[in-house]
Amino acid sequence: MTSAPEPPSPVTSITGPTRTGGSGADVFDPEHLLSMRGIAKNFGAVQALRNVDIDIPVGEVTALIGDNGAGKSTLIKAISGIWAPSAGQIFWKGKEVHIHTPRTATDLGIATVYQDLALCDNLDIVQNMYLGMEETRFGLLDEIKMELTTLKTLSDLSVTTVKSVRQLVGSLSGGQRQAVAVARAVMRESEMVILDEPTAALGVSQTAQVLELIRTLAAKGIAVIVISHNLTDVFSVADRLAVMHLGTMVSHGPIANYDTASAVELITTGESSRVPSTLSPAQ
């Protein structure tokens, strides 16, 4: 009788997609939509990112946490095409890509919803959803098609608190505004949505709405990255945790391997006796 296989370690370091010997095609885990290997970013003498490795699975919520200055925003901007990495590789569906502009990221299917949401308060929901990509028919705006598509997108995301898609965005609550920003990203057929502090400055009920929206995105097979300082929200919605400290990815793994105490230790010191580090000795 063969012995049962040993369970995997709770948190392991990751290696990049490998090449097959014959065709040179990429070999990758189909569950990983995005993989980053050895990512570094320098601003003159300042090293904002150092040898960062991370995998983002399909249909799961990955929470990216860390103190101010840990490198979270720099990493997200590398994914979004704002800042090109100084070194390292980015793989999208197993193929190496170079994301030098936001347009490149958008074309791949990456959408980023920043904390300011980039919404126009003086326009209604439909106009915000289609801003810069308006539908036309016979040289005129196709208002009916845009309104129906907006209604369907919000309905698919179970957004039920909006009374009318012709409401001015300036009249919406914080949670509703976040929903509109996320719906706009989803409507553009994004496969990955990055949310920067999505529950910041929201009340209890609005926070619950946004967290439910995040769960809905993951249930639809969209990869979600959430940057948050609120560990209560993180542990209520995330499937995986990635912790950064002083520009390095010090730990990552399933959320079940962490608790609030270990997360705080990793954020503040870069290590925790409760969770194995993912840093190699060279780092």
Side-chain angles (χ1 to χ4, degrees):
M1 180 181 297
T2 59
S3 59
E6 294 183 1
S9 58
V11 183
T12 58
S13 58
I14 48 183
T15 56
T18 56
R19 307 275 182 174
T20 57
S23 65
D26 295 312
V27 177
F28 72 107
D29 186 338
E31 293 184 356
H32 292 159
L33 183 64
L34 175 77
S35 296
M36 305 181 81
R37 296 294 180 269
I39 296 297
K41 179 61 181 177
N42 301 327
F43 297 96
V46 177
Q47 195 168 18
L49 296 177
R50 293 183 294 154
N51 200 27
V52 173
D53 292 351
I54 189 171
D55 284 322
I56 305 298
V58 175
E60 292 189 9
V61 179
T62 300
L64 181 61
I65 65 173
D67 206 352
N68 293 332
K72 305 184 302 299
S73 295
T74 304
L75 181 63
I76 291 308
K77 288 178 179 177
I79 298 173
S80 303
I82 304 297
W83 291 330
S86 303
Q89 296 173 291
I90 301 176
F91 298 88
W92 180 259
K93 298 180 180 178
K95 301 291 183 181
E96 185 173 3
V97 295
H98 301 279
I99 308 176
H100 294 302
T101 66
R103 173 61 65 184
T104 304
T106 300
D107 291 343
L108 287 173
I110 301 170
T112 305
V113 180
Y114 293 101
Q115 194 169 349
D116 62 7
L117 304 182
L119 298 175
C120 297
D121 289 348
N122 62 323
L123 301 180
D124 64 32
I125 294 174
V126 176
Q127 292 169 327
N128 269 280
M129 293 276 282
Y130 278 91
L131 191 61
M133 49 177 284
E134 292 81 359
E135 296 280 356
T136 59
R137 187 168 182 261
F138 304 126
L140 301 173
L141 291 175
D142 193 342
E143 298 283 2
I144 294 176
K145 180 178 180 180
M146 290 190 291
E147 185 168 325
L148 291 175
T149 303
T150 298
L151 285 167
K152 183 179 186 305
T153 304
L154 292 173
S155 175
D156 289 345
L157 293 175
S158 302
V159 178
T160 59
T161 59
V162 174
K163 295 179 181 179
S164 170
V165 292
R166 289 302 179 180
Q167 279 182 265
L168 293 180
V169 163
S171 69
L172 301 179
S173 68
Q176 291 170 330
R177 290 166 63 88
Q178 187 72 239
V180 171
V182 171
R184 180 175 59 186
V186 172
M187 190 179 68
R188 298 180 184 185
E189 299 183 350
S190 301
E191 297 182 66
M192 173 183 290
V193 176
I194 302 169
L195 302 175
D196 184 12
E197 298 288 354
T199 60
L202 296 184
V204 175
S205 61
Q206 295 173 2
T207 295
Q209 293 172 11
V210 172
L211 294 180
E212 186 57 36
L213 178 61
I214 293 171
R215 295 186 188 99
T216 301
L217 289 176
K220 290 182 175 297
I222 296 173
V224 183
I225 300 177
V226 176
I227 302 175
S228 181
H229 285 92
N230 190 319
L231 292 182
T232 300
D233 293 347
V234 165
F235 280 94
S236 68
V237 77
D239 300 297
R240 300 182 63 81
L241 194 65
V243 189
M244 297 196 69
H245 179 74
L246 299 179
T248 60
M249 184 69 66
V250 294
S251 188
H252 53 80
I255 194 72
N257 295 335
Y258 302 85
D259 56 22
T260 302
S262 61
V264 170
E265 285 181 343
L266 288 164
I267 290 171
T268 54
T269 69
E271 57 185 16
S272 172
S273 58
R274 303 164 183 261
V275 182
S277 172
T278 56
L279 290 176
S280 65
Q283 292 177 264

